[in-house]
Amino acid sequence: MRAAAPPEFSGQVERWGPFLSAIVVLALWELLSRTGAISPMFFPPPSSIAVVLWRMLLAGDLLVDLGITIARVIAGFILGAGLAVLLGLVMGTSPRLGAQLDPWVAALHPTPKIAVLPLILVIFGIGEASKIMLAALGSFFPMLINTVAGVRQIPSIYFEVADSYGAGRLQMFRRVVVPGSLPLVMAGARISANVALMLTIAAELVAAQRGLGQVIWFAWQTLRIEEVYAGLFITSLLGITFAFVLERFTRWVMPWRLEARNGAR
Amino acid sequence: MKIECQQLSKVYEGANGPLSSLEDITFSTADREFIGIVGPSGCGKTTLLKLIAGLQEPTSGRVIMTGAPAGDRPRSAMVFQDHGLFPWMTVLDNVAFGLQMHGVERQERRDRAREFVDRVGLSHFADSYPGQLSVGMGQRVGIIRAFVTDPPLLLMDEPFGALDSQTRLVLQEELLRIWGEYPKVVIFVTHDIDEAIRLSDRILVMTGRPGRILEEVPIPLERPRTLTRRKPAEVGEIKWHIWGLLEEQVRESLWVAD
């Protein structure tokens, strides 16, 4: 950091710096593309991408595709990550079950989930279910691994304290296991949401009628390069939005984290 | 209430065979007595507290409590070395935790918890989280969390071990003050001989592993005790006497691998 800069100035830089650098990069891109220094075939100028994006939005189809993708990601995420949290809490608290299931997780987790798509298409057909199941499968493992780790890293002192005050199994679960594992559970949720989006788009690229993945794929097949970029832009915006919402949610469910950071020690 | 420990022993199954942690611990307390326990590291002091609290089962021997109050009051509460406050609960919820576990209704437990929070001057921090507190404030909360359930027996496991010496003095005095208002049997484990003398009616000096009681040392200091009150000359002698007992134990325990 610039030690010499006055505090207001460095604050301004932190706030506007990212926008500034984005504008510089876009302007450079525009310039290079317009002058032909880079091929507008592959890198059309941002302004023409923006025009195409605007037209797509006005036509309304893009919003429908966006809505379809969002619905698939959320359904897959809730299904996969939800089941994973439940199973993870049980695996984390029960050493016996944990020992039984750990090898399965270790074996199945590294499999690239997109490779399972053909099998999922066979089992669940080419309808909505297959996309949702793939996203659920992808969401499941990061969430499961984080939840199990989250429970196991809870310092034993908290169990002893709760035990010494006569906490029963249910109270122990609600007041110690769940909040104690929450930091890693929420970190898992962020990874899972990202994987769910990635797999949904991937499935849409090859096996869907609608959705952002299909928008991008169709644009490529018809060689409308601006539309490819427009689809990519909306997709990355969606990813950022998911991350932002989860970040807000994390702060809301773990107020102590934030307070501890800003606390007057 | 009185507590009687009869020939308590605890043997752990270690990786290299059985490991005797405590051996033949026998002592009893008078009503409202403050017992200090000093001994070298690893002599099973914490284990002893856990046996008395019923958190662990002794290998042999037993703990008898007579005159325990009826009703929903817990028989004992424990104060831990690093306060053990739940980071995800506010100060008030932490203090009310014991009450909640004993089924006290929400409004009542919050009222009772707040009363204690006010009493130790932490009113402004009632809705803070433990991460915002200093170590000394945290241990204050840890202590009132135990007092608020008003158990007849309080078990304290080196509660001031992590504090600087000045904070430690303040909290010792505060503990004595609250204890004066809510008298109960206290069993207080510490490394600090001065602290044990300042607080206790009687000190149990323990040997290194396996922990046995080497000697019981009564402390003939009047109550209420304050820091400023002059101590009679014999206190100095008691200190050196206890150190004399401990020194050899400590030296030996340095050579015993954990």
Side-chain angles (χ1 to χ4, degrees):
Chain A
M1 285 296 297
R2 273 156 286 250
E8 316 94 71
F9 178 72
S10 68
Q12 292 291 313
V13 168
E14 264 173 37
R15 193 171 312 154
W16 299 112
F19 292 99
L20 208 69
S21 71
I23 287 169
V24 169
V25 169
L26 286 176
L28 203 65
W29 178 356
E30 180 85 26
L31 187 79
L32 293 177
S33 181
R34 291 270 174 214
T35 57
I38 55 174
S39 164
M41 268 288 284
F42 305 136
F43 306 102
S47 59
S48 56
I49 295 173
V51 169
V52 169
L53 176 61
W54 182 244
R55 233 185 276 136
M56 289 165 83
L57 285 172
L58 285 185
D61 276 5
L62 184 59
L63 289 178
V64 175
D65 287 302
L66 174 64
I68 287 169
T69 298
I70 290 176
R72 284 169 181 161
V73 172
I74 290 179
F77 173 73
I78 289 177
L79 185 66
L83 282 175
V85 168
L86 295 181
L87 182 61
L89 289 174
V90 176
M91 273 176 73
T93 41
S94 157
R96 228 198 265 153
L97 190 68
Q100 288 295 314
L101 294 182
D102 275 347
W104 286 95
V105 176
L108 293 178
H109 168 53
T111 310
K113 301 303 170 298
I114 189 65
V116 189
L117 180 61
L119 183 61
I120 286 180
L121 287 173
V122 169
I123 299 172
F124 295 98
I126 52 166
E128 276 318 286
S130 55
K131 271 71 103 183
I132 293 171
M133 285 312 292
L134 186 68
L137 186 66
S139 307
F140 182 79
F141 285 97
M143 195 61 164
L144 180 68
I145 287 165
N146 267 49
T147 306
V148 172
V151 175
R152 289 182 185 163
Q153 57 79 42
I154 298 174
S156 61
I157 177 80
Y158 300 128
F159 292 102
E160 285 176 22
V161 172
D163 193 18
S164 81
Y165 283 101
R169 277 181 71 96
L170 188 67
Q171 286 166 322
M172 192 77 89
F173 195 76
R174 278 191 47 215
R175 306 301 306 269
V176 179
V177 174
V178 171
S181 60
L182 211 47
L184 276 180
V185 168
M186 290 314 296
R190 282 196 288 279
I191 303 171
S192 283
N194 197 275
V195 173
L197 175 61
M198 187 171 76
L199 288 176
T200 302
I201 298 292
E204 285 172 354
L205 286 176
V206 292
Q209 308 296 317
R210 300 297 302 255
L212 289 177
Q214 199 42 229
V215 169
I216 297 168
W217 193 253
F218 186 71
W220 172 75
Q221 286 188 316
T222 52
L223 280 178
R224 281 181 280 202
I225 193 73
E226 280 94 349
E227 289 189 16
V228 172
Y229 277 98
L232 279 176
F233 179 73
I234 293 294
T235 306
S236 73
L237 215 56
L238 184 58
I240 292 167
T241 307
F242 278 133
F244 178 78
V245 169
L246 273 172
E247 172 65 29
R248 276 306 162 98
F249 182 70
T250 303
R251 286 192 204 179
W252 181 70
V253 292
M254 297 195 305
W256 68 90
R257 274 287 161 126
L258 187 72
E259 302 281 335
R261 240 182 288 133
N262 298 342
R265 224 171 214 282
Chain B
M1 193 182 85
K2 292 174 189 167
I3 289 98
E4 209 181 326
C5 294
Q6 293 180 340
Q7 284 140 14
L8 282 181
S9 302
K10 180 71 183 177
V11 179
Y12 288 105
E13 288 305 323
N16 307 317
L19 195 69
S20 184
S21 168
L22 285 175
E23 219 173 78
D24 195 23
I25 302 287
T26 301
F27 70 94
S28 59
T29 72
D31 195 19
R32 303 175 174 192
E33 193 178 16
F34 201 121
I35 303 266
I37 296 181
V38 295
S41 298
C43 75
K45 298 178 297 244
T46 301
T47 305
L48 178 57
L49 289 189
K50 285 182 178 169
L51 294 184
I52 296 173
L55 294 176
Q56 287 185 11
E57 287 295 315
T59 310
S60 65
R62 54 189 186 148
V63 180
I64 301 168
M65 300 192 190
T66 48
D72 65 345
R73 274 169 72 192
R75 289 204 303 186
S76 67
M78 196 139 167
V79 178
F80 296 82
Q81 182 169 10
D82 297 314
H83 64 62
L85 298 176
F86 299 111
W88 46 85
M89 293 182 204
T90 63
V91 165
L92 199 65
D93 286 339
N94 264 294
V95 175
F97 183 76
L99 295 173
Q100 187 187 14
M101 293 303 108
H102 282 87
V104 178
E105 247 180 286
R106 184 182 159 84
Q107 193 54 48
E108 191 194 338
R109 68 173 188 253
R110 288 183 77 87
D111 289 346
R112 278 166 68 181
R114 191 170 284 280
E115 192 190 318
F116 273 86
V117 170
D118 292 346
R119 191 185 292 264
V120 293
L122 288 174
S123 316
H124 293 304
F125 293 91
D127 297 321
S128 303
Y129 290 94
Q132 294 169 275
L133 305 180
S134 68
V135 189
M137 286 154 84
Q139 193 52 279
R140 262 190 190 139
V141 178
I143 289 170
I144 58 174
R145 173 169 67 177
F147 267 97
V148 79
T149 57
D150 196 21
L153 169 63
L154 191 60
L155 302 162
M156 306 186 81
D157 188 8
E158 295 185 43
F160 304 145
L163 305 180
D164 66 81
S165 54
Q166 290 158 12
T167 310
R168 186 184 269 238
L169 288 176
V170 173
L171 285 200
Q172 286 167 1
E173 196 152 278
E174 216 160 89
L175 171 63
L176 286 179
R177 188 167 57 81
I178 305 177
W179 176 66
E181 291 173 45
Y182 299 88
K184 51 186 86 267
V185 176
V186 179
I187 300 180
F188 189 104
V189 166
T190 178
H191 274 115
D192 183 342
I193 301 174
D194 286 322
E195 180 170 80
I197 293 174
R198 203 170 292 130
L199 298 174
S200 313
D201 296 311
R202 189 157 45 117
I203 296 176
L204 308 182
V205 182
M206 288 181 68
T207 67
R209 183 182 294 157
R212 283 172 289 111
I213 294 179
L214 197 60
E215 196 174 312
E216 296 190 9
V217 183
I219 307 298
L221 283 175
E222 283 172 40
R223 294 195 190 272
R225 298 179 189 173
T226 54
L227 287 177
T228 45
R229 175 173 294 193
R230 285 190 68 81
K231 293 168 184 60
E234 58 195 289
V235 170
E237 281 168 36
I238 293 172
K239 181 181 174 182
W240 290 114
H241 175 63
I242 293 175
W243 175 239
L245 292 170
L246 274 179
E247 188 179 8
E248 193 188 340
Q249 302 299 328
V250 174
R251 283 189 197 286
E252 265 176 35
S253 74
L254 286 176
W255 299 105
V256 180
D258 272 326

